Amino acid sequence: SQFDLMLTTVRKMVWPCLYTALTTIIAFLSLVFSDIKPVIDFGWMMTIGLTVTFATSFLLFPTLLVMMGRLAPVAEKPAGSRIMSLLSRFTERNGTVILLLSAALVVLSVAGVYRLRVENSFIDYFSTETEIYQGMKLIDDQLGGTTPLDIVIGFTSGATEEATESEADEEFDEIDDLLEDDEEDPAQHWFTPQKIDLVKRVHDYLDGLPETGKVLSLASLIRVAEDLNEGKPFSGMELAVLYKRMPDQIRREMIEPFVSIDDNETRISLRVFDSRPELRRNELLQKLRRDLTGEFGLQPDQVTVTGVLVLYNNMLQSLFRSQIQTLGVVMLGVAITLVLLFRSVPLAIIGIVPNLLAAGVILGLMGLLNIPLDMMTITIAAITIGIAVDNSIHYIYRFREEYPRTNDYVSTLHYCHANIGRAVFYTAITIIVGFSILVMSNFIPTIYFGTFTALAMAIALLAALTLLPRLIMLWRPF
């Protein structure tokens, strides 16, 4: 009856499907260990979705099958049968070729992984035809850069500073008497020639870097005033007059954004050319900290580098750490799952090797093509292992069931290719088509994600139908 047929199918398939669902859930759940919030959210959403999918596959789908009644037998699909027949014969006759080709791919993968980088530009996330790209390119080329960066310099109150303040006090007493101004303003003692000179030198240094565009600081305002003063630098007394007689609105708009009197700090704001292909953010930030503390005599605690550029760089630098963490978690979780399912360490190793090869080839290819890691591509390796290992589980599970009947590895190989091999083939094709749709996006990381994940699934499929059975025949674990 249809009910008995459904019940037999569910009993036969629930365990391998449970473990394939678990391995895929582990892959997406490993993204939770990333340091990047969107990647973490993506991992949780996919985990919940897979859980619901497994539940409906063994509750709703069997119920619908019973309600539909008995269906006519499905004819053999010639295309799938021919492909599986070719692959099974190739695997039987060319075992050495398969192993040598796999070893060569491992070597290329390792070479490519060593060339992986995370240095990329936000502008490169969009195709050149989009308004976002064209707008950011225009700002970079003509309006002084896109990505903001701020440098905050704190002034210490050491002996030299105290002497400078003492000299400034005498000058301000003279100017107060001259202007008949008895009001004591503590802010007036902050503006000394020494501080202004330091701000000017740091401003000029930053303005001379090839990676920086527009630079704004207190020196910008002072130099405008000096131009009006026939290019002559201001003395301490002239700075005092300039500050004391400046209208309040100009102070708020032109002084306060760059000076904090209460914290004894000054701020220098600049923008970086994000579209420059030679830009290396991490190296730039390290150079800034090194030069400000070395060439200008500032202490490390006096210099704070902050802004969007620092946040973006920290995210990029965390990608390598996140990649290692997610890969480590998914490999450990998948290995434990395979050991629990097959009760065999050799079978667990055989099952995971083809999928590691697929993930390694994709990472190596990205390195060889100089495609940097980003929030999307960082997930490819973990997702590939988690999804592609389903092929290995189904194939090994069926191989283990059929081998006692034939007691011959070659016969079992051809049998498994003819039945479970076809199911794996069509399942992989649907996954490949699904991810390939993402190439229609205008967001470059999404295109990379869809392309490389689809390619990884194709490599994993071929490995599961060639390398996997070859390892079984070589190891003979049954």
Side-chain angles (χ1 to χ4, degrees), residues 182-445:
D182 296 330
E183 182 181 356
E184 179 68 19
D185 185 2
Q188 68 189 12
H189 304 289
W190 191 92
F191 295 90
T192 63
Q194 289 77 12
K195 288 179 180 177
I196 300 302
D197 179 66
L198 176 63
V199 173
K200 286 181 179 179
R201 290 192 292 120
V202 175
H203 181 110
D204 293 339
Y205 161 76
L206 296 172
D207 198 31
L209 295 174
E211 298 91 346
T212 60
K214 188 67 176 176
V215 180
L216 294 174
S217 69
L218 180 63
S220 306
L221 175 64
I222 296 296
R223 280 178 171 147
V224 171
E226 289 177 347
D227 288 340
L228 298 176
N229 193 34
E230 299 180 353
K232 299 178 181 178
F234 287 104
S235 65
M237 183 178 295
E238 289 170 328
L239 286 172
V241 174
L242 179 66
Y243 179 75
K244 289 176 68 67
R245 293 304 179 218
M246 185 177 292
D248 291 340
Q249 181 178 357
I250 296 180
R251 284 189 191 181
R252 288 192 300 269
E253 294 178 357
M254 306 189 71
I255 298 294
E256 293 180 2
F258 303 105
V259 172
S260 175
I261 304 296
D262 296 335
D263 297 321
N264 197 19
E265 293 176 341
T266 184
R267 166 176 168 259
I268 301 175
S269 178
L270 60 138
R271 284 180 286 166
V272 176
F273 296 119
D274 192 72
S275 62
R276 298 288 174 86
E278 66 274 9
L279 175 63
R280 297 293 180 266
R281 293 172 185 79
N282 198 47
E283 295 177 8
L284 174 63
L285 294 175
Q286 291 177 354
K287 174 180 171 59
L288 289 177
R289 295 187 178 98
R290 183 174 60 252
D291 291 350
L292 290 174
T293 56
E295 296 183 12
F296 297 94
L298 297 170
Q299 299 299 318
D301 58 350
Q302 290 181 261
V303 179
T304 301
V305 183
T306 183
V308 175
L309 182 74
V310 177
L311 294 176
Y312 188 62
N313 179 70
N314 290 343
M315 184 204 73
L316 293 176
Q317 297 306 315
S318 70
L319 288 178
F320 266 128
R321 183 171 62 253
S322 298
Q323 180 77 79
I324 295 172
Q325 288 176 342
T326 54
L327 274 178
V329 171
V330 73
M331 286 174 59
L332 180 62
V334 168
I336 293 174
T337 303
L338 292 177
V339 171
L340 291 176
L341 174 61
F342 298 124
R343 303 289 194 274
S344 170
V345 173
L347 282 178
I349 296 174
I350 291 173
I352 202 172
V353 164
N355 310 290
L356 287 177
L357 177 63
V361 168
I362 292 303
L363 291 177
L365 185 61
M366 289 176 58
L368 294 174
L369 296 177
N370 292 321
I371 297 175
L373 289 173
D374 53 43
M375 286 190 297
M376 296 290 288
T377 55
I378 188 182
T379 63
I380 292 176
I383 291 175
T384 297
I385 295 175
I387 297 179
V389 77
D390 298 358
N391 303 334
S392 300
I393 290 176
H394 284 299
Y395 193 93
I396 295 176
Y397 197 87
R398 178 58 61 89
F399 204 105
R400 187 180 63 174
E401 283 192 347
E402 297 299 331
Y403 178 74
R405 183 177 60 82
T406 63
N407 203 30
D408 180 76
Y409 279 93
V410 175
S411 299
T412 308
L413 181 149
H414 289 293
Y415 180 85
C416 289
H417 269 68
N419 54 76
I420 198 63
R422 275 198 305 123
V424 166
F425 174 79
Y426 287 116
T427 302
I429 291 300
T430 59
I431 296 174
I432 292 170
V433 171
F435 280 110
S436 298
I437 293 174
L438 298 179
V439 301
M440 301 173 66
S441 172
N442 284 327
F443 193 51
I444 303 299

Side-chain angles (χ1 to χ4, degrees), residues 28 46 88 98 108 131 207 217 246 257 356 430 454:
F28 285 106
M46 293 301 296
S88 63
I98 293 172
L108 290 175
E131 293 184 4
D207 198 31
S217 69
M246 185 177 292
L356 287 177
T430 59

